[in-house]
Amino acid sequence: MPGGIDPHAHLAMDFMGTQTIDDFFSGQAAALAGGTTMHMDFVLPINGNLSAGFEAYKEKAKISCMDYGFHMAVTKWDDEVSHDMEVMVKENGINSFKFFLAYKGSFMVSDELFLEGLKKCKSLGALAMVHAENGDAIVEGQKRMIELGITGPEGHPLSRPPVLEGEATARAIRLAGFVNTPLYVVHVMSSDAMEEIAKARKSGQKVIGEVVSAGLALDDTKVWDPDFITAAKFVMSPPVRAPGHDKALQGALSTGILQLVATDHCTFNSTQKAFGIDDFRKIPNGVNGLEERMHVVWDTMVESGKISVTDFVRVTSTECAKIFNIYPKKGAILAGSDADVIILDPKASVKITAATHHSRSDTNVYDGRTGKGKILVTIAGGRIVWQNGELKVTPGTGKYIKMQPFGYAFEGIDRKDAEYLKSLGAPVKRSRALS
């Protein structure tokens, strides 16, 4: 089948006073061992400057051993940012921009900035992406937990419950609808958020929902573990939810409410996680997944009969390639496509352990998990890079994949704009004479 494409990972990312333990070589090597042959990372601006951020990430990615693409975060708004967005789309091959409604004081944007960003994305044919949690309410939730004396990892999910993800998802969807531009909701982790996406898609709005492997396969049980390191390794945002949300997300993926599976691979080792041993607010947020995603999705969704093998290829590869306008170069096995191919044995068993994975992290949220569906061979760009349990990868062999604007999500946007203008029945002609 076509190699997997992970649309959401954070390698060599500076965050919460540290840097993710996996860089563009170790993270990609792990991905190749797990059947993923391309990933998309998020360029973070430097002091709000997009160009400076792009140059920094180009440097970080020089050690890549597989193909990759970039999304870009927007964290402030001025004429320079607006101009740089155009440069990124027209010259640098970026066709998506991410807006955070969470992380107050760092990445979080106001509704006003979000609206400006949505308008600019629409004009450029770039896909607006959103991390949908209510950042203001999360700060209030964190204060509440601290006042109650809850300082351990369990304070993290308790301070940002599903209702805050649902509210922000609904708000983002409505604002995107107001502007009439497509919206991509990253890492949908709750039934609350999923239901808002279902409602919008049923009404005909262009909303894409991304679920991550952790959301499909895990629940929050372990975050209550008495061992801090065990509990802290599950801290991510939005949080892994209580049992039941995972099943709802599996159902949404199987019925097309959610379109594709990513990882939000953002790894910190146990030493880094221990920064928050006395205060959950200081635990670096993030879990692993680049190496495990294909195995976890196969076992959770295909082996259980929830989706077909064809659907598996779609949700792990093809749909991503189509959304970000790189199909059939990626996401297909066709004449002219890149030679990214994997061989999976559906009958073979896999056991995931922190001791044998290829990430640099000393922990793994899937540690001890066994399941069916084993990646036997990974071919990236025509090169066999994983076979017989052996990796053959070289830093610097990965290519940057430019992504063009106006992907399929923009189909019909112009017609809807025209219908809107026609429906206004305004302005009304009035006499200027005053009675």
Side-chain angles (χ1 to χ4, degrees):
M1 60 184 73
I5 307 172
D6 186 345
H8 189 154
H10 300 279
L11 301 179
M13 180 180 75
D14 297 307
F15 184 53
M16 296 184 73
T18 187
Q19 188 178 84
T20 53
I21 201 72
D22 281 322
D23 59 18
F24 274 77
F25 179 71
S26 69
Q28 291 186 352
L32 290 168
T36 288
T37 54
M38 178 179 175
H39 99 283
M40 298 177 191
D41 215 291
F42 290 85
V43 173
L44 298 179
I46 295 176
N47 297 322
N49 187 288
L50 306 191
S51 295
F54 183 73
E55 291 303 317
Y57 269 76
K58 274 174 60 179
E59 195 64 30
K60 291 179 180 184
K62 283 183 176 179
I63 57 173
S64 290
C65 56
M66 75 176 187
D67 293 354
Y68 62 96
F70 284 147
H71 314 293
M72 178 164 273
V74 175
T75 56
K76 75 170 190 177
W77 192 259
D78 56 26
D79 290 342
E80 184 180 25
V81 171
S82 179
H83 172 264
D84 279 356
M85 286 177 71
E86 292 188 32
V87 173
M88 293 303 147
V89 172
K90 295 174 182 176
E91 298 178 19
N92 294 333
I94 287 176
N95 67 359
S96 49
F97 294 91
K98 183 179 181 182
F99 302 87
F100 292 85
L101 303 187
Y103 298 121
K104 188 172 183 178
S106 57
F107 300 144
M108 180 175 156
V109 301
S110 64
D111 286 353
E112 180 183 13
L113 191 158
F114 186 42
L115 281 165
E116 291 293 341
L118 289 170
K119 290 190 295 181
K120 191 67 179 183
C121 283
K122 181 180 181 180
S123 71
L124 294 171
L127 189 56
M129 310 176 83
V130 65
H131 174 138
E133 290 183 284
N134 187 312
D136 289 320
I138 287 167
V139 171
E140 180 60 32
Q142 290 172 334
K143 288 178 184 174
R144 183 185 298 172
M145 292 306 115
I146 297 299
E147 288 170 359
L148 290 170
I150 300 170
T151 59
E154 69 278 8
H156 181 75
L158 291 173
S159 69
R160 47 206 312 150
V163 66
L164 302 189
E165 187 186 353
E167 184 280 329
T169 303
R171 177 161 39 101
I173 287 170
R174 283 160 174 76
L175 292 177
F178 177 64
V179 174
N180 186 32
T181 196
L183 183 70
Y184 182 113
V185 184
V186 302
H187 50 40
V188 177
M189 292 293 286
S190 66
S191 57
D192 303 52
M194 177 271 289
E195 286 164 4
E196 296 294 341
I197 292 168
K199 188 163 58 175
R201 287 178 62 84
K202 189 176 180 181
S203 74
Q205 191 174 340
K206 298 291 185 70
V207 180
I208 296 162
E210 168 199 282
V211 67
V212 295
S213 47
L216 289 174
L218 302 174
D219 59 46
D220 72 351
T221 310
K222 292 284 189 180
V223 86
W224 299 85
D225 195 285
D227 176 65
F228 174 84
I229 292 303
T230 300
K233 72 179 179 181
F234 290 90
V235 169
M236 67 177 293
S237 295
V240 179
R241 302 298 186 185
H245 288 273
D246 52 343
K247 300 292 188 234
L249 296 176
Q250 291 169 21
L253 184 66
S254 69
T255 54
I257 293 169
L258 301 174
Q259 284 69 58
L260 72 171
V261 186
T263 61
D264 194 9
H265 182 96
C266 185
T267 47
F268 300 97
N269 64 20
S270 56
T271 302
Q272 292 170 304
K273 290 281 189 176
F275 293 170
I277 195 161
D278 296 316
D279 185 344
F280 68 83
R281 296 172 297 181
K282 297 177 182 177
I283 300 172
N285 294 188
V287 301
N288 59 286
L290 267 170
E291 185 169 357
E292 298 81 15
R293 178 183 68 128
M294 301 289 274
H295 295 125
V296 168
V297 176
W298 182 277
D299 188 60
T300 304
M301 301 300 298
V302 182
E303 183 66 20
S304 66
K306 292 183 175 70
I307 64 173
S308 67
V309 177
T310 303
D311 286 334
F312 176 81
V313 175
R314 177 177 55 81
V315 302
T316 60
S317 181
T318 306
E319 188 68 15
C320 180
K322 289 180 176 179
I323 289 167
F324 294 103
N325 219 7
I326 52 174
Y327 181 87
K329 177 181 176 67
K330 300 289 186 183
I333 303 176
L334 297 168
S337 299
D338 287 352
D340 298 331
V341 182
I342 60 173
I343 299 171
L344 181 147
D345 183 350
K347 295 180 181 178
S349 295
V350 178
K351 183 172 183 179
I352 300 169
T353 71
T356 57
H357 70 197
H358 294 82
S359 164
R360 287 181 180 153
S361 178
D362 59 349
T363 66
N364 190 310
V365 291
Y366 306 102
D367 202 7
R369 182 187 177 97
T370 58
K372 290 290 181 67
K374 185 176 185 178
I375 306 296
L376 300 181
V377 179
T378 303
I379 301 169
R383 305 184 318 276
I384 296 176
V385 292
W386 173 255
Q387 188 176 25
N388 299 323
E390 185 181 352
L391 261 177
K392 295 179 181 178
V393 291
T394 306
T397 52
K399 300 191 304 294
Y400 175 57
I401 305 299
K402 289 190 172 184
M403 300 181 282
Q404 297 304 311
F406 293 104
Y408 85 80
F410 280 84
E411 293 173 7
I413 292 293
D414 288 345
R415 289 192 297 276
K416 194 169 179 181
D417 277 342
E419 289 172 7
Y420 167 72
L421 291 172
K422 188 176 178 181
S423 72
L424 291 178
V428 176
K429 293 180 181 178
R430 292 184 175 85
S431 168
R432 294 186 63 83
L434 299 175
S435 56

